[in-house]
Amino acid sequence: MESSSEARDPGRNGEAVAKWVHEIAKERTDAEFELVDIKDFNLPLLDEPLPPIMGQYSRPHTKAWAAKIGSFDGYVFVTAEYNHGVPGALKNAIDFLFREWNDKAAGFVSYGGAGGARAVEQLRLVLAEVQMRRCATRSCSRCLPTLKTSASSSRLPTTRNLSMQCSTRSSLGAAH
């Protein structure tokens, strides 16, 4: 699963980047990949009455989000960097759940200020709290061109110089 994190940004460069990553990922034959966009789940600010660690979700949007996230063995988070951190929509989406993230692989593709490195740094800390297993870090600051206002897939590189290596037994991005 790739997760585009700019759910509420009208310029959404993340959608083009996520589609590019998804096309590369689909070339693998040892896993299945699905593009999941947070925007499609219309998650409000966390509104569950009980903490996610209890797993007693009461809202339909939370139940739908939990079912989707729970169906994967791993994730590739495609994220921008805003103000040295993770976009609010992504943090909120992670905070909605707990058990669904546990012991699953997490990889990262980031862009923005400093290549998105600070967003990934913050994201790694957040994911550790929901007990995810991170992939080894591969810096690829020159893989993506500088994205301006609306990125289109024609502006993204066609080279296959993006790679991720997992340090977990889970198959990154493989659906159950």
Side-chain angles (χ1 to χ4, degrees):
M1 175 196 102
E2 285 106 308
S3 178
S4 179
S5 63
E6 294 178 284
R8 293 173 175 85
D9 182 354
R12 287 180 43 97
N13 289 320
E15 187 173 7
V17 177
K19 286 180 180 178
W20 175 71
V21 172
H22 188 242
E23 287 303 313
I24 293 169
K26 288 190 319 186
E27 292 177 3
R28 294 184 59 149
T29 59
D30 60 344
E32 295 177 18
F33 294 87
E34 179 180 337
L35 185 60
V36 175
D37 195 332
I38 293 168
K39 175 186 76 157
D40 297 336
F41 290 85
N42 296 314
L43 297 172
L45 289 176
L46 184 59
D47 64 347
E48 285 290 335
L50 296 173
I53 197 167
M54 297 181 77
Q56 297 175 15
Y57 308 128
S58 63
R59 310 278 194 248
H61 53 263
T62 308
K63 291 177 181 180
W65 181 237
K68 178 56 74 177
I69 294 305
S71 72
F72 298 103
D73 294 323
Y75 312 89
V76 176
F77 291 91
V78 176
T79 186
E81 179 178 315
Y82 291 123
N83 299 321
H84 289 233
V86 176
L90 176 57
K91 175 67 167 77
N92 185 59
I94 293 167
D95 288 347
F96 259 93
L97 308 175
F98 182 76
R99 175 183 42 83
E100 294 77 7
W101 301 114
N102 294 173
D103 297 317
K104 295 184 180 176
F108 310 95
V109 175
S110 62
Y111 57 95
R118 297 169 296 211
V120 171
E121 178 181 358
Q122 185 183 57
L123 187 55
R124 291 165 62 126
L125 294 171
V126 170
L127 296 179
E129 286 301 311
V130 293
Q131 300 176 10
M132 289 192 75
R133 306 296 176 235
R134 65 178 171 75
C135 289
T137 302
R138 284 269 180 187
S139 178
C140 191
S141 61
R142 299 204 192 325
C143 289
L144 294 174
T146 301
L147 296 170
K148 303 281 184 211
T149 56
S150 288
S152 68
S153 57
S154 63
R155 289 178 43 203
L156 294 173
T158 57
T159 58
R160 304 297 187 238
N161 56 354
L162 179 67
S163 65
M164 293 183 192
Q165 297 178 355
C166 287
S167 58
T168 180
R169 293 183 307 189
S170 298
S171 298
L172 181 63
H176 289 295

